[in-house]
Structure formats: C-alpha cells, structure tokens
Amino acid sequence: MAGARHEGLTRVLPPVWLVYLIGFVPAVAYFTLGIMDRLGADPQNVLERALGLWALRFLVAGLAVTPLRRSFGLNLVRYRRAIGLLAFWYACLHLTVYLVLDQGLDGAAIWADILKRPYITVGMAAFTLLVPLAATSNAFSIRRLGAGWNRLHKLVYPAALLAALHFLMLVKAWPPEPLIYLALVAALLAYRIVEPRLRKPGARGRAAQAR
Ligand code: HEM
C-alpha cells in the first residue's frame, strides 16, 4: 500500500533537467546581485560564502538520497547524479571566486594560503576528492569501471566530512550553522554503518551490493 503510494509519487516527480535548472538558480541570483552591486559592503565574500554553502547543501542532499529511499521509501535515486554534479559545480564556482576575486590568481599567494591556513587546506582536500567523482559521473565511466565505480564514489563520504569541517574551521565562535551541517553529515554517514546492521540478515548482502 505504502509502496504503491510512493510509486505514484515517483511517477509525478519532475524531470532531471528541472533539478539542474532549479539548482543553478541561487548561483545565477548571486552573480546577478553581484553585478548589480547589491551584495552589501563585501560582495566578493558574500558571493564566495553563498556558493560554498550551496555546494555543502547539495553534498548533504546527495547523501540523503539513500536514507530517504531505504527508511521512507522515497526514491530520488534518479536525481542523485544531478545533485552530486550540482555540488561539484558550486564547489568549482566557490573555488573560482576564491582564486580570482580573493587571490587575484596570484599562484604563490594561493599556494602559501593552502599551506598556511588549515581551513583552506581542508577545503582544497574536499574539492580534490570531488574531482574524480565528477569526472566519472557519466554512463561511459559507470560501464567501464563496473563495481569499482561504487567503491570510487564512496569518496563522497570523506569529501562531505571535510567540507563540513572546512565550514566549522573558518568560524571564530561556535555558531549553530556549521555544527548543524557537521551533525547532518555525521548522521548520514552513520546511517550507512548502522542501517545494514539493523536489517534482516538476508537483506544485508543485497544492501551491501546496492550501496
Ligand atoms: C567541497 C568543497 C568546498 C565546500 C563544500 C566549501 C564550503 C564552504 C562553506 C560552507 C563556507 C562558509 C559559508 C558561510 O559562511 O556561509 C566556505 C567558505 C569559504 N571557503 Fe569553502 N568550500 C569548499 C572548498 C573550498 C576551497 C577549495 C577553497 C579554497 C582553496 C575554499 C575557500 C573558502 C573561503 C576563502 C571561504 C570564506 C572564508 C571567509 O569568509 O573568511 N573553499 N566554504
């Protein structure tokens, strides 16, 4: 009964291209406001932070796909690639703003910053882990890599953890937002460890294959 209801819901879900379209709305809005000089006293920092935050939001949303399906029967798996790629593109835009507007493409200064400021090092590590995932998020790579593709894409777990840590490290006090993101990422990763253990023994093997 519940399965049929969710099946019906899955049928009315919007097409994947709409997820991309809606997903890029914040970026377009922030760049437009930036061009119109309506991002306040420090527009570059507002833009940089907004893009970083959206990258993290999409990372969290991507991690939520499996728990939503397993625990609530809501199957959004067909959007997972779009959500993951949106996270990557937002991280690229975030990094680009940092490289161009923040550091003026000064290679030596950028390198020194990566080595000197731990939150930049951690952000860079998170971004680096996302690169092979984005590069293999296509049908050809999925076919080519076979089971290795699933193993490779588990890199999203440390990437999300590092991204949440990057957010926490750059704040001076302890505001709730970065702690909430870190807790969300930790909970979504813990789910992957705990949930298969709570399942019936027969379902475990299948769960491991599907993860
Ligand atoms: C997966 C990759 C990344 C994610 C998800 C991410 C996420 C974030 C988040 C959430 C913020 C804070 C936003 C806010 O305050 O509301 C932020 C700020 C920032 N990030 Fe990242 N980031 C990533 C990678 C990077 C990289 C590679 C760099 C540079 C090499 C970087 C440099 C910065 C800087 C400079 C700030 C602003 C700090 C400030 O305002 O003083 N990030 N990032």
Side-chain angles (χ1 to χ4, degrees):
M1 192 66 174
R5 198 172 60 235
H6 287 305
E7 233 172 68
L9 183 64
T10 305
R11 246 180 264 134
V12 297
L13 287 173
V16 174
W17 62 262
L18 200 60
V19 172
Y20 282 109
L21 198 71
I22 295 170
F24 277 116
V25 167
V28 174
Y30 274 99
F31 277 107
T32 309
L33 288 172
I35 291 163
M36 293 163 72
D37 199 14
R38 288 181 54 191
L39 284 182
D42 193 351
Q44 164 250 305
N45 189 255
V46 173
L47 183 65
E48 188 174 50
R49 283 177 166 254
L51 294 168
L53 199 53
W54 276 101
L56 184 56
R57 283 173 183 154
F58 282 117
L59 276 177
V60 171
L63 288 181
V65 169
T66 293
L68 282 177
R69 178 169 59 84
R70 294 246 186 90
S71 295
F72 301 99
L74 181 59
N75 192 345
L76 301 175
V77 169
R78 66 183 169 138
Y79 301 119
R80 185 154 52 191
R81 189 194 301 184
I83 294 169
L85 285 172
L86 280 164
F88 176 71
W89 288 119
Y90 271 91
C92 284
L93 291 172
H94 176 62
L95 177 60
T96 306
V97 170
Y98 165 81
L99 296 175
V100 179
L101 302 182
D102 213 351
Q103 301 293 323
L105 285 178
D106 178 343
I110 293 164
W111 188 238
D113 211 26
I114 292 173
L115 296 180
K116 198 180 66 198
R117 288 206 278 176
Y119 85 85
I120 296 286
T121 319
V122 171
M124 205 61 214
F127 180 78
T128 307
L129 290 177
L130 291 183
V131 174
L133 305 190
T136 55
S137 283
N138 54 69
F140 173 74
S141 300
I142 294 169
R143 262 199 320 276
R144 186 86 200 271
L145 294 173
W149 190 90
N150 273 337
R151 278 198 299 277
L152 177 70
H153 278 249
K154 286 194 170 47
L155 283 180
V156 71
Y157 304 156
L161 255 186
L162 288 169
L165 201 62
H166 162 72
F167 189 7
L168 188 65
M169 287 168 83
L170 69 87
V171 292
K172 306 272 174 322
W174 292 93
E177 211 182 0
L179 288 171
I180 290 170
Y181 278 99
L182 188 61
L184 269 174
V185 171
L188 290 167
L189 298 189
Y191 176 93
R192 282 153 168 93
I193 300 167
V194 174
E195 195 265 354
R197 290 186 166 76
L198 299 177
R199 280 166 172 246
K200 289 192 218 99
R204 267 190 219 165
R206 287 197 298 278
Q209 279 170 5
R211 215 171 318 138

